[in-house]
Amino acid sequence: MATVVTPTEMALITGEEFALTDVPDYYELVRGRIVPMPPPNMNHGSVEFNIAGPVFVFLQAHPLGRMVIGDSGIYTERDPDTVRGVDLYFISNERLAKRDMTKGYLTVAPDWITEVKSPSNTEAYIQEKLAEYFAINVRMVWLVDPEERCVHVYRSMTDIRTLQEKDTITGEDVLPDFSIQVAKFFENL
């Protein structure tokens, strides 16, 4: 019979060690400990796709940097390390040039992050991640809520706007000239 080891029983590990572990998807490294997470549901993935598609098309015409999707890992803390899985992020060419390519996860802050709220996300979990993102100098976060069908646009932990389906969301100074109606994010749900 296999022994289940809980995160509190494990020794702290680094992000580099985490990148080499043989754990299934849907884990994060939080202050040196591996923490399991439930996989996203179908609506979550559909919303990610509905955001990523138009941003990808925009970036093809405006090569400002790179968009990454699929819970890709970024460092938000070091020693002990925290590696968060991010639903979607954009990193400018300027910041991309500063990354440490020897590390398995992104070592510099993306400019913009989008998180799609899942039913399992507690308010405490969301606030913890947002605080980590702004602590590493992320410029903008979209917290997309499929249940409420709205987007909370964070420029800091205190500078927050909520946009409804009828509203148009823009890339502001992070993705200049990008705009789309919020309702497009929730199509086919």
Side-chain angles (χ1 to χ4, degrees), residues 4-5 9 20 25-26 29 37 44 57 67 73 75 77 82 110 115 117 127 136 154-155 161 163 165 169:
V4 176
V5 179
E9 296 170 337
L20 299 174
D25 292 338
Y26 312 115
L29 185 67
M37 300 173 53
H44 184 111
V57 170
M67 179 185 61
Y75 284 99
E77 296 177 348
T82 296
E115 288 287 358
K117 188 175 179 189
Q127 293 301 309
I136 63 170
Y154 286 78
R155 291 309 294 247
R161 289 179 299 115
L163 301 175
E165 286 184 278
I169 193 167

Side-chain angles (χ1 to χ4, degrees), residues 154-171:
Y154 286 78
R155 291 309 294 247
S156 71
M157 293 301 290
T158 57
D159 182 359
I160 309 157
R161 289 179 299 115
T162 300
L163 301 175
Q164 305 299 326
E165 286 184 278
K166 66 182 179 352
D167 296 321
T168 297
I169 193 167
T170 70

Side-chain angles (χ1 to χ4, degrees), residues 13-50:
I13 65 171
T14 66
E16 291 79 12
E17 292 167 328
F18 180 58
L20 299 174
T21 59
D22 188 21
V23 295
D25 292 338
Y26 312 115
Y27 283 81
E28 289 182 327
L29 185 67
V30 179
R31 290 180 236 8
R33 299 192 189 285
I34 297 172
V35 178
M37 300 173 53
N41 64 27
M42 183 176 167
N43 282 349
H44 184 111
S46 293
V47 170
E48 278 184 34
F49 181 82
N50 289 344

Side-chain angles (χ1 to χ4, degrees), residues 107-146:
T107 56
V108 296
D111 295 83
W112 161 66
I113 288 175
T114 292
E115 288 287 358
V116 179
K117 188 175 179 189
S118 293
S120 63
N121 294 156
T122 65
E123 188 63 26
Y125 172 77
I126 291 168
Q127 293 301 309
E128 180 178 28
K129 282 182 88 168
L130 289 168
E132 289 173 22
Y133 295 158
F134 287 112
I136 63 170
N137 222 8
V138 170
R139 297 169 55 200
M140 180 171 61
V141 177
W142 291 355
L143 177 61
V144 182
D145 189 333

Side-chain angles (χ1 to χ4, degrees), residues 88-105:
L88 184 149
Y89 68 79
F90 164 77
I91 183 166
S92 63
N93 291 323
E94 179 182 351
R95 288 187 179 195
L96 195 57
K98 296 176 183 175
R99 78 186 190 281
D100 182 344
M101 293 177 55
T102 66
K103 306 295 182 195
Y105 299 111

